[in-house]
Amino acid sequence: QVRLVESGGGAVQTGGSLRLSCTASTSIINIDCMGWFRQTPGMEREGVAAADSNGITPYADSVKGRFTISKDHAKRILYLQMDNLQPEDTAMYYCAVRELGFSCPLIVPRAMDFDYWGQGTQVTVSS
Protein backbone atom coordinates (compact mmCIF):
# COMPACT_ATOMS: atom_id res chain seq x y z
CA GLN A 1 0.00 0.00 0.00
CA VAL A 2 1.39 3.41 -1.02
CA ARG A 3 1.16 5.82 1.92
CA LEU A 4 3.42 8.71 0.87
CA VAL A 5 4.38 9.76 -2.65
CA GLU A 6 7.11 12.32 -3.39
CA SER A 7 7.59 14.26 -6.61
CA GLY A 8 9.43 17.29 -7.95
CA GLY A 9 13.02 16.09 -7.90
CA GLY A 10 15.35 16.60 -10.81
CA ALA A 11 18.71 17.87 -11.97
CA VAL A 12 19.67 21.53 -11.62
CA GLN A 13 22.81 23.63 -11.65
CA THR A 14 24.29 25.30 -8.60
CA GLY A 15 22.07 28.19 -7.53
CA GLY A 16 18.94 26.71 -9.06
CA SER A 17 15.62 25.90 -7.42
CA LEU A 18 13.28 22.96 -7.06
CA ARG A 19 10.02 22.39 -5.24
CA LEU A 20 9.32 18.96 -3.83
CA SER A 21 5.84 17.71 -3.05
CA CYS A 22 4.62 14.84 -0.92
CA THR A 23 1.05 13.58 -0.90
CA ALA A 24 -0.13 11.55 2.08
CA SER A 25 -2.66 8.78 1.66
CA THR A 26 -5.82 8.86 3.75
CA SER A 27 -4.68 5.54 5.19
CA ILE A 28 -2.49 7.62 7.51
CA ILE A 29 -4.88 9.02 10.08
CA ASN A 30 -2.59 11.52 11.81
CA ILE A 31 -0.48 13.73 9.52
CA ASP A 32 -0.05 16.67 11.92
CA CYS A 33 3.73 16.31 11.83
CA MET A 34 5.48 15.65 8.53
CA GLY A 35 9.08 16.05 7.49
CA TRP A 36 11.70 15.88 4.77
CA PHE A 37 14.86 13.82 5.00
CA ARG A 38 17.70 13.16 2.60
CA GLN A 39 20.23 10.40 2.16
CA THR A 40 23.28 9.64 0.05
CA PRO A 41 24.88 6.18 -0.37
CA GLY A 42 26.80 5.12 2.72
CA MET A 43 25.41 7.93 4.88
CA GLU A 44 22.74 8.01 7.55
CA ARG A 45 19.40 9.54 6.72
CA GLU A 46 19.57 13.25 7.54
CA GLY A 47 16.69 15.37 8.74
CA VAL A 48 16.14 18.44 6.54
CA ALA A 49 13.01 20.11 7.89
CA ALA A 50 9.66 19.37 9.47
CA ALA A 51 6.27 21.06 9.78
CA ASP A 52 3.30 20.48 12.03
CA SER A 53 -0.21 21.89 12.29
CA ASN A 54 0.87 24.38 14.96
CA GLY A 55 3.42 26.11 12.74
CA ILE A 56 6.55 24.52 14.15
CA THR A 57 9.16 24.30 11.37
CA PRO A 58 12.62 23.21 12.51
CA TYR A 59 15.34 23.19 9.85
CA ALA A 60 18.76 21.64 9.60
CA ASP A 61 21.47 24.30 9.88
CA SER A 62 22.76 23.38 6.45
CA VAL A 63 19.54 24.47 4.72
CA LYS A 64 18.37 27.42 6.83
CA GLY A 65 17.74 30.47 4.68
CA ARG A 66 17.62 28.40 1.49
CA PHE A 67 14.83 25.85 2.00
CA THR A 68 11.24 26.52 3.04
CA ILE A 69 8.87 23.82 4.24
CA SER A 70 5.10 24.21 4.13
CA LYS A 71 2.03 22.04 4.37
CA ASP A 72 -1.46 22.18 2.94
CA HIS A 73 -3.22 20.12 5.57
CA ALA A 74 -6.57 20.01 3.76
CA LYS A 75 -4.96 18.69 0.58
CA ARG A 76 -2.64 16.44 2.57
CA ILE A 77 0.42 17.77 0.71
CA LEU A 78 3.81 18.66 2.15
CA TYR A 79 6.12 20.94 0.16
CA LEU A 80 9.80 21.77 0.25
CA GLN A 81 10.87 24.84 -1.68
CA MET A 82 14.61 24.60 -2.29
CA ASP A 83 16.46 27.71 -3.45
CA ASN A 84 20.14 28.40 -4.07
CA LEU A 85 20.83 24.69 -4.36
CA GLN A 86 24.40 23.52 -3.85
CA PRO A 87 26.17 20.32 -4.94
CA GLU A 88 26.14 19.09 -1.34
CA ASP A 89 22.34 19.09 -1.48
CA THR A 90 22.49 16.19 -3.93
CA ALA A 91 20.64 13.26 -2.36
CA MET A 92 17.54 11.15 -2.40
CA TYR A 93 14.86 13.14 -0.61
CA TYR A 94 12.26 11.31 1.45
CA CYS A 95 8.97 12.45 2.90
CA ALA A 96 7.93 11.08 6.29
CA VAL A 97 5.03 11.38 8.72
CA ARG A 98 5.05 11.16 12.49
CA GLU A 99 1.83 9.31 13.26
CA LEU A 100 2.45 8.74 16.97
CA GLY A 101 2.28 12.41 17.91
CA PHE A 102 0.29 15.58 17.31
CA SER A 103 3.19 17.99 16.96
CA CYS A 104 6.76 17.96 15.74
CA PRO A 105 9.73 18.07 18.07
CA LEU A 106 11.34 21.51 18.21
CA ILE A 107 14.70 20.16 17.10
CA VAL A 108 15.84 19.13 13.64
CA PRO A 109 13.77 16.08 12.66
CA ARG A 110 15.19 12.67 13.54
CA ALA A 111 14.33 9.55 11.58
CA MET A 112 13.57 7.65 14.78
CA ASP A 113 10.65 10.01 15.47
CA PHE A 114 8.85 9.25 12.21
CA ASP A 115 6.76 6.24 11.34
CA TYR A 116 6.00 6.14 7.61
CA TRP A 117 8.19 6.89 4.61
CA GLY A 118 7.82 7.56 0.92
CA GLN A 119 9.92 6.01 -1.83
CA GLY A 120 11.98 9.14 -2.38
CA THR A 121 12.69 11.60 -5.17
CA GLN A 122 16.20 12.26 -6.48
CA VAL A 123 17.75 15.74 -6.40
CA THR A 124 21.00 16.27 -8.27
CA VAL A 125 22.86 19.58 -8.22
CA SER A 126 25.78 20.05 -10.59
CA SER A 127 28.43 22.75 -10.56
Side-chain angles (χ1 to χ4, degrees), residues 12-79:
V12 298
Q13 295 184 348
T14 298
S17 297
L18 287 171
R19 187 176 74 160
L20 307 184
S21 299
C22 170
T23 301
S25 168
T26 55
S27 66
I28 305 175
I29 299 174
N30 176 23
I31 60 166
D32 285 345
C33 177
M34 300 181 71
W36 288 101
F37 295 77
R38 63 187 183 185
Q39 188 171 27
T40 56
M43 301 292 290
E44 293 185 354
R45 192 160 296 186
E46 174 191 17
V48 176
D52 67 19
S53 297
N54 295 318
I56 301 299
T57 56
Y59 292 87
D61 288 341
S62 60
V63 306
K64 287 181 179 177
R66 299 188 298 118
F67 291 10
T68 303
I69 191 170
S70 62
K71 186 174 73 171
D72 188 328
H73 192 80
K75 295 181 179 179
R76 303 177 67 87
I77 302 176
L78 181 72
Y79 300 98

Side-chain angles (χ1 to χ4, degrees), residues 12-18 66 82-87 89 125-126:
V12 298
Q13 295 184 348
T14 298
S17 297
L18 287 171
R66 299 188 298 118
M82 304 185 294
D83 297 318
N84 192 24
L85 284 161
Q86 303 297 309
D89 295 318
V125 185
S126 61

Side-chain angles (χ1 to χ4, degrees), residues 95-111:
C95 173
V97 60
R98 174 178 165 86
E99 190 173 44
L100 303 180
F102 294 97
S103 63
C104 288
L106 298 177
I107 61 175
V108 61
R110 302 181 301 176

